[in-house]
Amino acid sequence: MSLPSVLTLIADRKAGSLKPEAIDVARSLVKGKAPIVLSDGEAVDIPCPTPGPGSPSAATIRATLAPYQTDALLLKTRGRRKAVLVADMDSTIVTGETLDEMAALLGIGQQVAAITRASMNGEIDFETSIEQRVALLAGHPASVLEEVWKTVTLTEGARELVCTMRKHNARTALVSGGFTWFTQKVAELCGFDENYGNSLEIVDGKMTGRLDAPVLGPDAKLSHLEDLTAERGVQLKAALTTGDGANDIPMLANAGLGLAFHAKPNVKKIIGTQINFANLRAHLFAQGYKAADFVTD
């Protein structure tokens, strides 16, 4: 009979293998059983009892394993595999911030990046920030979108995450505060079922500095999560969400498993399930998938 909880450890493959010492420390913290290898030298599951009074908190466990460049997720065994995936795009599924990269090419990088930082850190609301940043694009050629697309790079593990969950009948959606011009292309590249973003108004080959649809911000991200789970016929606890910025907090907080992925400090203060070292493969290990189960098409 399986134990009710599991501590999943995932190492940053670029920093080296998962260390036996880290596994021993983790087992001691949670009174865990023998580790189950999910990926040799990368990830293990440690079955353990439900934490009781006096048990180390998830934050304590995470901090204890951090010196080993290892992420630690203490999760319930039941319902680990999720039926819905909702993912942020910029700095999550792709490595960069597409709007910031557009601005850099147009010579307005510093102004736009400053607003982006303030928004992602929760210093100004997302709707205000996107309107301010888009306004700075007014009059510039839309051809810059193509130039940025040439540099867009998927985060390691992005296709594995999406394609593996789809293979196991999950509904997958890319829901971004970025532009639909990019979300459509990234979704196709990764294999997402659907995508949502902000629609940039372009007239006669130039950006007008306006959006031609309502702003897709944090509340809209949560609404998409709620709609997707309802359409799939499951509760929110059957969903996995991932993102890094303040506008992701509502969907991260309301999903059954919301993972703050290399997130901004204000996000990590609120969302306790975090991936701070590993790549997107960690989202599959968190669900109990083994590397042998991963697919990329």
Side-chain angles (χ1 to χ4, degrees), residues 64-125:
T64 303
L65 275 295
Y68 299 98
Q69 300 285 289
T70 296
D71 290 305
L73 299 170
L74 184 59
L75 306 166
K76 293 181 179 179
T77 303
R78 187 176 180 180
R80 287 180 75 189
R81 291 199 177 182
K82 303 305 181 185
V84 172
L85 167 67
V86 178
D88 174 47
M89 180 178 71
D90 292 312
S91 297
T92 302
I93 294 298
V94 302
T95 59
E97 293 285 334
T98 48
L99 178 49
D100 286 0
E101 291 165 13
M102 286 173 60
L105 287 176
L106 295 172
I108 54 173
Q110 291 187 345
Q111 299 116 290
V112 169
I115 300 170
T116 300
R117 284 194 300 272
S119 173
M120 298 301 278
N121 288 325
E123 296 165 11
I124 59 174
D125 68 84

Side-chain angles (χ1 to χ4, degrees), residues 39-279:
S39 178
D40 191 34
E42 182 183 10
V44 299
D45 270 350
I46 300 175
C48 60
T50 301
S55 298
S57 67
T60 297
I61 295 169
R62 185 171 61 248
T64 303
L65 275 295
Y68 299 98
Q69 300 285 289
T70 296
D71 290 305
L73 299 170
L74 184 59
L75 306 166
K76 293 181 179 179
T77 303
R78 187 176 180 180
R80 287 180 75 189
R81 291 199 177 182
K82 303 305 181 185
V84 172
L85 167 67
V86 178
D88 174 47
M89 180 178 71
D90 292 312
S91 297
T92 302
I93 294 298
V94 302
T95 59
E97 293 285 334
T98 48
L99 178 49
D100 286 0
E101 291 165 13
M102 286 173 60
L105 287 176
L106 295 172
I108 54 173
Q110 291 187 345
Q111 299 116 290
V112 169
I115 300 170
T116 300
R117 284 194 300 272
S119 173
M120 298 301 278
N121 288 325
E123 296 165 11
I124 59 174
D125 68 84
F126 182 80
E127 184 169 342
T128 298
S129 77
I130 193 70
E131 289 174 346
Q132 290 179 351
R133 287 177 287 172
V134 170
L136 292 170
L137 301 176
H140 290 286
S143 58
V144 70
L145 294 159
E146 291 284 0
E147 292 302 308
V148 171
W149 177 244
K150 294 175 184 178
T151 69
V152 169
T153 303
L154 293 180
T155 302
E156 185 179 357
R159 277 194 61 83
E160 289 166 300
L161 170 59
V162 177
C163 293
T164 301
M165 289 191 68
R166 283 191 65 188
K167 179 184 176 183
H168 290 83
N169 300 315
R171 182 91 170 265
T172 62
L174 185 67
V175 182
S176 172
F179 300 135
T180 54
W181 197 95
F182 292 109
T183 64
Q184 291 167 359
K185 294 177 181 297
V186 171
E188 182 177 358
L189 195 58
C190 280
F192 281 97
D193 292 306
E194 51 204 278
N195 69 93
Y196 305 91
N198 282 302
S199 182
L200 185 63
E201 185 178 75
I202 298 172
V203 177
D204 296 329
K206 292 186 177 182
M207 296 175 284
T208 66
R210 297 185 297 272
L211 299 175
D212 60 12
V215 172
L216 194 161
D219 292 339
K221 285 194 172 192
L222 177 57
S223 293
H224 279 298
L225 169 63
E226 293 170 338
D227 291 345
L228 288 160
T229 52
E231 291 167 9
R232 183 67 170 76
V234 298
Q235 298 179 6
L236 287 174
K237 65 182 180 181
L240 165 63
T241 55
T242 183
D244 70 301
N247 63 324
D248 298 312
I249 289 174
M251 74 172 189
L252 295 175
N254 284 277
L257 178 57
L259 292 174
F261 182 70
H262 295 261
K264 306 302 184 289
N266 68 306
V267 179
K268 291 198 270 190
K269 289 178 182 178
I270 297 171
I271 305 300
T273 45
Q274 303 171 9
I275 303 299
N276 297 319
F277 303 106
N279 59 51

